[in-house]
């Protein structure tokens, strides 16, 4: 069982030689809060005096302390997420990558991604990011339908996301992702078809698509509870997923993880590190990291985060040590989701027998030494994992 530890000191944080290592950086700032979002983000009125300059000063200290723990392991991937990283502007995001470089060695072919909201980008910003060393842009489009964006409390116009994608490509970004959300109350099949076509038409090489989830504590959950909008229907979500998969595949973007499609070579290497057992340092308020058998997470509020680093200590709120069974469960849960499949060698005798049953039910397919989800299996991926583990 996972051992949870109330933080009395600091955990031992050391990478395992040979594992892929990445850095995730959390930018906690947002101009407004989307109704469906439960991420660790803060609008200006919630910051209590915290600001991007103070956050960047604290981040630099955390990255220095991180390097002291990690040593000389080369960084294969950097992912700047949030929140809304693009609110930092091109110069701010260049400074973030500069702080990483000041403390770590980036691999020659390192993948460097930043998320961006379309309304806070510009051609000049993309040029600055490309010159700074970013290699990949991920844009939060969600939908091309105005009424869907309104339900999601998104502030950008339907045409801004594809325009931003084209601007990123013009600035020299070979790898551009668009995020979609499907199953929003009021969305139609035609709305989703149009959103897919808009994304593909913008020349992106990667699309991530997620079903709308009503998270407790969000404005969307309160609207559902009051009966203002309906909760997403599971059958509709399955139908929309099939529509996504068929239309993206026809456009040359093929699934490589249950919620992600790309052209050949366009896969997000940072996220593949999560799914394939890699390690990463999570920097920033509320960020999670994983090294060796230890998972930890930082304090959430930017002020508490900065205060800890002012005292020259890591801003860790708590951590847990994963035992062998926990690692096995996570390996099965994550690796079965990718197109390359779950290596049969990872399973014990009973799990292999259950896998054979799932193959017989048409949910898994044996491909050489791996188990791969079928089209139907992708719709039931969570249930497949539960059945495999018994």
């Amino acid at each position: 069982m996972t051992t949870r530890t109330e933080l009395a000191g600091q955990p031992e944080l050391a990478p395992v030689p040979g594992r892929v290592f990445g850095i995730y950086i959390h930018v906690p700032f947002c101009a407004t809060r989307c109704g469906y979002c439960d991420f660790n983000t803060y609008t200006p009125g919630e910051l209590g005096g915290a600001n991007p300059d103070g956050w960047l000063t604290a981040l630099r200290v955390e990255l220095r302390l991180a390097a002291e723990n990690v040593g000389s392991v080369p960084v294969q991937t950097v992912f700047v997420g949030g929140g809304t990283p693009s609110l930092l502007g091109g110069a701010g995001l260049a400074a973030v990558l500069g702080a990483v470089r000041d403390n770590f060695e980036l691999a020659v072919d390192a993948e460097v991604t930043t998320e961006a909201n379309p309304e806070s980008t510009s051609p000049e910003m993309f040029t600055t990011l490309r010159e700074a060393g970013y290699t990949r842009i991920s844009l939060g489009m969600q939908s091309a339908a105005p009424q869907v964006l309104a339900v999601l409390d998104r502030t950008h116009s339907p045409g801004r996301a594809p325009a931003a994608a084209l601007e990123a490509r013009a600035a020299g970004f070979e790898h551009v992702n668009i995020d979609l959300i499907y199953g929003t109350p009021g969305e139609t099949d035609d709305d989703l078809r149009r959103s897919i076509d808009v994304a593909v038409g913008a020349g992106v090489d990667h699309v991530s698509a997620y079903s709308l989830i009503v998270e407790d504590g969000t404005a969307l959950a309160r609207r559902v509870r009051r009966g203002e909008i309906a909760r997403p229907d599971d059958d509709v979500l399955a139908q929309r997923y099939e529509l996504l998969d068929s239309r993206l595949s026809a456009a040359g973007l093929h699934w490589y993880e249950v919620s992600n499609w790309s052209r050949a070579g366009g896969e997000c290497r940072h996220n593949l590190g999560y799914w394939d057992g890699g390690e990463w340092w999570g920097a920033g308020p509320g960020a999670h990291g994983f090294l060796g058998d230890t998972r930890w997470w930082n304090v959430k509020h930017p002020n508490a985060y900065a205060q800890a680093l002012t005292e020259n200590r890591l801003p860790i709120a708590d951590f847990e040590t994963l035992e062998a069974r926990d690692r096995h469960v996570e390996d099965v849960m994550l690796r079965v989701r990718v197109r390359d499949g779950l290596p049969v060698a990872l399973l014990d005798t009973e799990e292999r027998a259950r896998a054979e049953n799932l193959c017989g039910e048409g949910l898994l397919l044996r491909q050489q030494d791996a188990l791969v989800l079928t089209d139907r299996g992708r719709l039931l991926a969570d249930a497949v994992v539960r059945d495999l583990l018994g």
Side-chain angles (χ1 to χ4, degrees):
M1 179 178 292
T2 301
T3 302
R4 292 182 59 93
T5 306
E6 292 301 322
L7 196 63
Q10 300 290 352
E12 293 291 331
L13 300 176
V16 175
R19 287 187 187 168
V20 173
F21 175 68
I23 294 176
Y24 170 77
I25 295 174
H26 187 73
V27 180
F29 309 110
C30 278
T32 60
R33 185 178 303 284
C34 298
Y36 61 91
C37 180
D38 71 337
F39 294 167
N40 185 48
T41 61
Y42 301 85
T43 59
E46 299 168 330
L47 285 169
N51 59 67
D53 288 341
W55 168 84
L56 181 56
T57 297
L59 177 71
R60 287 193 173 104
V61 178
E62 184 181 5
L63 291 172
R64 174 177 59 78
L65 296 174
E68 292 174 3
N69 281 267
V70 171
S72 59
V73 178
V75 178
Q76 303 293 331
T77 64
V78 178
F79 194 105
V80 184
T84 309
S86 47
L87 286 178
L88 300 178
L93 284 167
V96 168
L97 184 53
V100 174
R101 283 204 176 100
D102 287 344
N103 293 282
F104 292 89
E105 176 191 353
L106 266 64
V108 174
D109 63 343
E111 175 193 85
V112 184
T113 302
T114 185
E115 294 180 335
N117 275 2
E119 71 274 17
S120 54
T121 63
S122 67
E124 296 76 18
M125 176 183 167
F126 289 125
T127 297
T128 299
L129 293 178
R130 191 70 192 94
E131 292 174 348
Y134 285 83
T135 66
R136 188 172 180 275
I137 297 291
S138 183
L139 294 162
M141 175 173 136
Q142 319 314 352
S143 177
Q147 77 276 12
V148 173
L149 293 175
V151 172
L152 296 174
D153 296 318
R154 299 291 292 183
T155 58
H156 62 83
S157 66
R160 179 57 203 149
L166 290 170
E167 290 165 3
R169 297 276 291 172
F173 281 95
E174 181 182 356
H175 302 302
V176 181
N177 171 66
I178 275 181
D179 277 352
L180 298 176
I181 289 178
Y182 60 95
T184 301
E187 177 193 64
T188 66
D189 286 352
D190 282 342
D191 290 333
L192 182 56
R193 289 189 188 96
R194 185 162 59 253
S195 297
I196 298 166
D197 292 347
V198 166
V200 171
V204 301
D205 68 336
H206 192 290
V207 171
S208 301
Y210 306 99
S211 64
L212 180 65
I213 298 175
V214 180
E215 301 283 3
D216 290 341
T218 62
L220 180 65
R222 292 189 288 274
R223 294 184 67 188
V224 170
R225 189 167 57 248
R226 291 194 298 264
E228 295 175 10
I229 56 177
R231 185 176 294 275
D233 179 86
D234 287 343
D235 291 337
V236 172
L237 293 177
Q239 175 190 348
R240 297 275 160 77
Y241 182 89
E242 291 174 332
L243 190 160
L244 268 159
D245 186 52
S246 63
R247 208 164 185 88
L248 287 171
S249 296
L253 286 85
H254 302 285
W255 83 282
Y256 71 97
E257 192 275 340
V258 169
S259 299
N260 292 274
W261 292 257
S262 78
R263 302 190 189 280
E267 298 87 350
C268 177
R269 288 166 48 201
H270 185 84
N271 286 342
L272 280 171
Y274 295 150
W275 298 317
D276 289 343
E279 299 183 319
W280 68 95
W281 189 283
H288 287 226
F290 180 72
L291 290 173
D293 292 321
T294 301
R295 178 186 291 113
W296 74 95
W297 46 98
N298 285 346
V299 295
K300 287 189 171 184
H301 199 280
N303 282 334
Y305 172 77
Q307 180 59 42
L309 290 157
T310 298
E311 299 167 3
N312 204 41
R313 60 182 175 86
L314 288 172
I316 297 176
D318 206 350
F319 66 95
E320 60 188 6
T321 302
L322 301 187
E323 297 182 358
R325 178 60 184 174
D326 302 304
R327 289 301 310 273
H328 177 71
V329 168
E330 291 202 354
D331 280 345
V332 171
M333 179 177 66
L334 294 172
R335 298 184 75 169
V336 80
R337 294 179 61 89
V338 297
R339 182 181 57 206
D340 289 345
L342 171 68
V344 176
L346 289 181
L347 302 180
D348 62 29
T349 301
E350 292 182 356
E351 289 166 345
R352 292 184 190 193
R354 289 192 285 266
E356 289 299 322
N357 291 335
L358 290 165
C359 288
E361 295 171 16
L363 298 174
L364 286 174
L365 180 65
R366 178 85 179 248
Q367 292 186 349
Q368 297 182 335
D369 296 325
L371 295 163
V372 180
L373 291 168
T374 63
D375 291 347
R376 180 165 165 262
R378 278 188 280 155
L379 294 172
L380 301 168
D382 291 342
V384 169
V385 170
R386 288 194 297 271
D387 288 348
L388 269 175
L389 294 170

